[in-house]
Amino acid sequence: MIAPVAPLVFHVVLRVKPERVDDWLREVAAIADAMSKEDTFISCDLHRDANDPATFTLYERWAEPDVETFLARQDKPYRRDYEAKLPDLLRGPREPQVLVPLRSWARERR
């Protein structure tokens, strides 16, 4: 039996211009909706920093073997459109990290 491949996990910090938060929230919802239709999409969670309401984190999980394969498959019109809008919405470049899943805990269902 072949062991399943661990998901490719991205943790991305985005520092949004305070006056553009509502615009960015609309754009990120639209791209997340489009991403969710991709065959290799697993999940995406959006979080807001508790101390800075213009700083957000995306936690994305993909069924991809590596970053190179992921990037090759992501050259899509909806992504290019989103990417083109980011300079006007963000205070600086995104801060992406690729995470290696080690272990997960969840509450037991009763």
Side-chain angles (χ1 to χ4, degrees):
M1 177 184 232
I2 297 174
V5 175
L8 182 62
V9 179
F10 296 101
H11 175 270
V12 185
V13 176
L14 301 106
R15 299 177 196 288
V16 180
K17 294 176 182 174
E19 69 277 10
R20 301 300 305 272
V21 166
D22 290 340
D23 297 325
W24 181 79
L25 286 170
R26 276 191 296 278
E27 294 298 334
V28 79
I31 194 171
D33 287 343
M35 288 182 340
S36 71
K37 294 171 179 63
E38 297 289 338
D39 291 343
T40 59
F41 177 85
I42 298 172
S43 66
C44 180
D45 296 307
L46 173 63
H47 301 270
R48 185 189 302 248
D49 187 296
N51 296 310
D52 180 355
T55 297
F56 298 87
T57 299
L58 288 170
Y59 182 86
E60 299 178 33
R61 296 176 68 230
W62 293 85
E64 295 282 10
D66 53 54
V67 174
E68 292 76 19
T69 304
F70 170 81
L71 292 174
R73 294 181 184 174
Q74 293 304 308
D75 185 25
K76 308 248 168 86
Y78 75 85
R79 281 206 173 262
R80 288 191 298 268
D81 184 51
Y82 176 73
E83 297 287 334
K85 294 174 182 176
L86 289 181
D88 291 333
L89 299 171
L90 301 182
R91 290 182 272 169
R94 288 172 288 186
E95 300 167 30
Q97 291 180 305
V98 177
L99 304 179
V100 176
L102 296 179
R103 188 168 175 187
S104 178
W105 291 265
R107 185 177 195 176
E108 288 186 28
R109 294 183 183 233
R110 298 174 198 215

Coordinates of all heavy atoms in Angstrom, one line a residue, residues 7 10 12 17 26 30 32 34 38 42 48 55 63 67 70 72 74-76 81 96 98:
P7 N -0.2 16.9 2.5 CA -0.6 18.0 1.7 C 0.5 19.1 1.7 O 1.3 19.2 2.6 CB -1.8 18.5 2.5 CG -1.7 18.0 3.8 CD -1.0 16.7 3.7
F10 N 0.6 26.1 2.8 CA 1.1 27.5 2.7 C 0.6 28.3 3.9 O -0.6 28.2 4.2 CB 0.7 28.2 1.4 CG 1.3 27.6 0.2 CD1 0.5 26.7 -0.6 CD2 2.6 27.8 -0.2 CE1 1.0 26.2 -1.8 CE2 3.1 27.2 -1.4 CZ 2.3 26.4 -2.2
V12 N 0.5 32.3 4.6 CA 0.8 33.6 3.9 C 0.3 34.7 4.8 O -0.9 34.8 5.1 CB 0.2 33.6 2.5 CG1 0.7 34.9 1.8 CG2 0.5 32.4 1.7
K17 N -3.3 47.6 3.1 CA -3.5 49.0 3.3 C -4.8 49.2 4.1 O -5.8 48.8 3.7 CB -3.5 49.8 2.0 CG -2.2 49.8 1.3 CD -2.3 50.5 -0.1 CE -1.0 50.4 -0.8 NZ -1.1 50.9 -2.2
R26 N -13.0 41.5 -0.3 CA -13.8 41.1 -1.5 C -13.0 40.3 -2.5 O -13.4 39.2 -3.0 CB -14.4 42.3 -2.2 CG -15.7 42.8 -1.5 CD -16.4 43.8 -2.4 NE -15.7 45.0 -2.6 CZ -15.6 46.0 -1.7 NH1 -16.3 45.9 -0.6 NH2 -14.9 47.1 -2.0
A30 N -13.2 36.2 -3.5 CA -13.4 35.8 -4.9 C -12.4 34.8 -5.3 O -12.7 33.8 -6.0 CB -13.4 37.0 -5.8
A32 N -10.6 32.8 -3.3 CA -10.8 31.6 -2.6 C -11.9 30.8 -3.1 O -11.8 29.5 -3.2 CB -11.0 31.9 -1.1
A34 N -12.8 30.7 -6.3 CA -12.2 30.1 -7.5 C -11.3 29.0 -7.2 O -11.3 28.0 -7.9 CB -11.5 31.2 -8.4
E38 N -10.6 24.1 -7.8 CA -9.5 23.4 -8.4 C -9.5 21.9 -7.8 O -9.8 21.7 -6.7 CB -8.2 24.1 -8.0 CG -8.0 25.5 -8.5 CD -7.8 25.5 -10.0 OE1 -7.4 24.6 -10.6 OE2 -8.1 26.6 -10.6
I42 N -7.6 21.6 -1.1 CA -8.1 20.9 0.0 C -8.9 21.9 0.9 O -10.1 21.7 1.2 CB -7.0 20.2 0.9 CG1 -6.3 19.2 0.0 CG2 -7.6 19.7 2.2 CD1 -5.1 18.6 0.7
R48 N -7.6 37.1 10.8 CA -7.2 38.5 10.9 C -6.4 38.6 12.2 O -6.7 37.9 13.2 CB -8.5 39.4 11.1 CG -8.1 40.9 11.1 CD -9.3 41.7 11.5 NE -10.4 41.6 10.6 CZ -10.8 42.5 9.7 NH1 -10.2 43.7 9.7 NH2 -11.9 42.3 9.0
T55 N -3.9 43.2 9.1 CA -3.0 42.1 8.8 C -3.7 40.8 8.8 O -4.5 40.6 9.8 CB -1.8 42.1 9.8 OG1 -1.1 43.3 9.7 CG2 -0.9 40.9 9.6
A63 N -3.4 19.4 -2.4 CA -3.0 18.0 -2.7 C -2.0 18.1 -3.9 O -2.3 17.6 -5.0 CB -4.2 17.1 -3.0
V67 N 6.0 22.5 -4.4 CA 5.7 23.9 -4.8 C 5.8 24.1 -6.3 O 5.0 24.8 -6.9 CB 6.7 24.8 -4.1 CG1 6.5 26.3 -4.5 CG2 6.5 24.7 -2.6
F70 N 2.7 22.9 -8.0 CA 1.6 23.8 -7.6 C 1.7 25.0 -8.5 O 0.7 25.4 -9.1 CB 1.7 24.1 -6.2 CG 0.8 25.2 -5.8 CD1 -0.5 25.0 -5.5 CD2 1.3 26.5 -5.7 CE1 -1.4 26.0 -5.2 CE2 0.4 27.6 -5.3 CZ -0.9 27.3 -5.1
A72 N 3.2 25.6 -11.3 CA 3.0 25.3 -12.8 C 1.5 25.2 -13.1 O 1.0 25.6 -14.2 CB 3.7 24.0 -13.2
Q74 N -0.9 26.8 -11.4 CA -1.7 27.9 -11.0 C -1.7 29.1 -11.9 O -2.2 30.2 -11.6 CB -1.2 28.4 -9.6 CG -1.5 27.3 -8.5 CD -2.9 27.0 -8.4 OE1 -3.8 27.9 -8.3 NE2 -3.3 25.7 -8.5
D75 N -1.1 29.0 -13.1 CA -1.1 30.1 -14.1 C -2.5 30.1 -14.7 O -2.7 29.6 -15.8 CB 0.0 29.9 -15.1 CG 0.0 31.1 -16.0 OD1 -0.4 32.2 -15.6 OD2 0.5 31.0 -17.1
K76 N -3.5 30.7 -14.0 CA -4.9 30.8 -14.5 C -5.3 32.3 -14.5 O -4.8 33.1 -13.8 CB -5.7 30.0 -13.5 CG -5.3 28.6 -13.2 CD -6.2 27.6 -13.7 CE -5.6 26.2 -13.7 NZ -5.8 25.5 -12.5
D81 N -5.4 37.9 -12.5 CA -6.2 39.1 -12.1 C -6.0 39.5 -10.7 O -5.8 40.7 -10.4 CB -7.7 38.7 -12.4 CG -8.6 39.9 -12.2 OD1 -8.4 41.0 -12.7 OD2 -9.6 39.8 -11.4
P96 N 5.1 34.6 2.3 CA 4.6 33.2 2.3 C 5.7 32.3 2.9 O 6.9 32.6 2.9 CB 4.6 32.9 0.8 CG 5.6 33.8 0.2 CD 5.6 35.1 1.1
V98 N 6.2 27.9 3.3 CA 5.7 26.5 3.0 C 5.9 25.7 4.3 O 7.0 25.7 4.8 CB 6.4 25.8 1.8 CG1 6.0 24.4 1.6 CG2 6.2 26.7 0.5

